[in-house]
Amino acid sequence: MEFETLTIDDPRYPRKLLERLGTEAPRLYFHGPLKLLDRFTMAVIAGDQIPGQAMLATNDMLFKIREYALNYVGPWHSVMETEIFRLALDTPTDELRRRSLTICTARGLARENWDNFLGDRFGYQGPFTGFPQKEEFYRRAHDGELLWLSITDPQQKRFERRNILLRNRVACALADVVFVPFSEKGAKSLITVKQVLKDKVPIFTCQYGLDKDTDVNKDLFALGIPSYPRKTVGVYLESLGASTDAPPPFDPPQPETVLDECKERVAAKAKLGQLSFF
């Protein structure tokens, strides 16, 4: 995958990430439209395992969340994360791109591609028979409507724990709010939740029952994470700036603009002696 590099002194570097992480803000590698991060963005982090009660409550809440015009950002690895990943792609025909998608990967972008990204999550049989939004995924990828971000060396192929934790932190720090459907002690997601609290990013979870001491998300409640049911989660999102107003249709780069950018890059590399035709 082709990619560009962002350092903290680049004016395009995400403002929220710089403000929250300061000197810890990492070098970013990206492919796609950075302007998606200017939209109201919700990060999603969920544990690898999720109890049925938590999954049902999350799916119920998503019926309300899906009404809002959000940019969804996350690693999209766990079962619940991939369900929300699919939601971000599943745009009804009567909506104008209400949901956009940002992908944070712990693999280097020189090693990442559309096929292995889906294969890691949905399997290689079928192909991807468990992924009905496959066509829309490839369409957005082909048309430049997906934003890919990585904090990992571009040639890195293996997933390493330190990269995964930093990737998770970055995904959350890019957001206006973080949704954590489920997490528990010992999970990487709970480490991320604790870091999100330190980075002062708004975060919430589902409300399952009335007794928080026996609730499946008691480890989140112990950290003071607020919970909301389907009935009130919209009020919470709107208090942070979310809106149900659909954004205008995606405006892809015009051919003339792309050509001009290519000419500028070629000229710059030629000036620096970095261009060779042999």
Side-chain angles (χ1 to χ4, degrees):
M1 179 184 297
E2 296 182 357
F3 62 88
E4 295 183 66
T5 304
L6 279 180
T7 56
I8 58 174
D9 56 349
D10 192 313
R12 299 174 298 170
Y13 197 90
R15 175 185 51 80
K16 288 193 287 283
L17 193 59
L18 193 57
E19 291 176 352
R20 288 165 173 165
L21 272 59
T23 57
E24 295 183 81
R27 176 174 300 188
L28 297 176
Y29 306 93
F30 77 97
H31 174 84
L34 288 171
K35 66 179 181 180
L36 292 187
L37 298 176
D38 296 333
R39 299 186 60 198
F40 189 92
T41 297
M42 185 179 79
V44 178
I45 295 291
D48 294 329
Q49 306 294 328
I50 182 168
Q53 181 185 4
M55 181 173 287
L56 289 173
T58 300
N59 284 327
D60 184 61
M61 180 183 282
L62 289 173
F63 277 103
K64 184 62 181 180
I65 292 177
R66 69 193 303 163
E67 296 177 5
Y68 289 85
L70 305 178
N71 175 46
Y72 293 77
V73 59
W76 314 121
H77 262 295
S78 70
V79 172
M80 200 67 248
E81 287 172 0
T82 55
E83 285 299 299
I84 298 174
F85 169 80
R86 290 173 55 196
L87 170 64
L89 291 168
D90 192 18
T91 303
T93 55
D94 60 342
E95 294 183 1
L96 296 175
R97 298 281 174 246
R98 190 182 297 276
R99 308 175 198 121
S100 61
L101 182 63
T102 297
I103 297 167
C104 289
T105 176
R107 180 188 279 126
L109 290 187
R111 299 287 186 171
E112 188 71 275
N113 61 62
W114 307 344
D115 292 336
N116 63 29
F117 180 85
L118 290 188
D120 289 342
R121 290 151 180 80
F122 300 100
Y124 290 95
Q125 302 298 318
F128 315 129
T129 54
F131 184 54
Q133 292 78 19
K134 179 183 66 173
E135 183 176 347
E136 175 64 8
F137 172 83
Y138 279 106
R139 188 203 64 76
R140 291 195 198 184
H142 181 270
D143 292 348
E145 295 182 23
L146 293 180
L147 175 59
W148 302 74
L149 293 172
S150 174
I151 47 78
T152 307
D153 181 276
Q155 296 297 330
Q156 178 72 31
K157 188 174 183 179
R158 294 180 56 192
F159 295 109
E160 297 182 356
R161 180 180 175 84
R162 62 185 179 87
N163 289 337
I164 291 172
L165 291 174
L166 179 57
R167 182 270 317 271
N168 291 354
R169 182 187 183 190
V170 165
C172 294
L174 287 166
D176 295 283
V177 66
V178 177
F179 176 35
V180 50
F182 173 76
S183 190
E184 59 185 345
K185 289 181 179 178
K188 291 190 291 292
S189 55
L190 196 66
I191 297 175
T192 299
V193 167
K194 293 177 180 179
Q195 187 62 63
V196 168
L197 292 173
K198 291 180 181 179
D199 292 336
K200 298 181 179 180
V201 186
I203 184 171
F204 72 104
T205 187
C206 296
Q207 181 172 309
Y208 307 126
L210 298 177
D211 188 351
K212 292 189 175 182
D213 292 330
T214 60
D215 197 292
V216 294
N217 254 342
K218 59 182 181 297
D219 294 325
L220 289 177
F221 297 140
L223 295 174
I225 306 299
S227 62
Y228 299 93
R230 174 180 176 178
K231 185 176 181 179
T232 60
V233 68
V235 176
Y236 171 68
L237 292 176
E238 289 176 22
S239 73
L240 298 173
S243 171
T244 57
D245 294 333
F250 193 92
D251 186 20
Q254 297 301 311
E256 294 80 5
T257 303
V258 174
L259 181 59
D260 289 341
E261 291 179 356
C262 289
K263 288 179 178 178
E264 290 176 1
R265 291 182 186 179
V266 169
K269 288 189 175 183
K271 185 176 181 180
L272 295 173
Q274 297 177 348
L275 190 65
S276 174
F277 295 97
F278 302 96

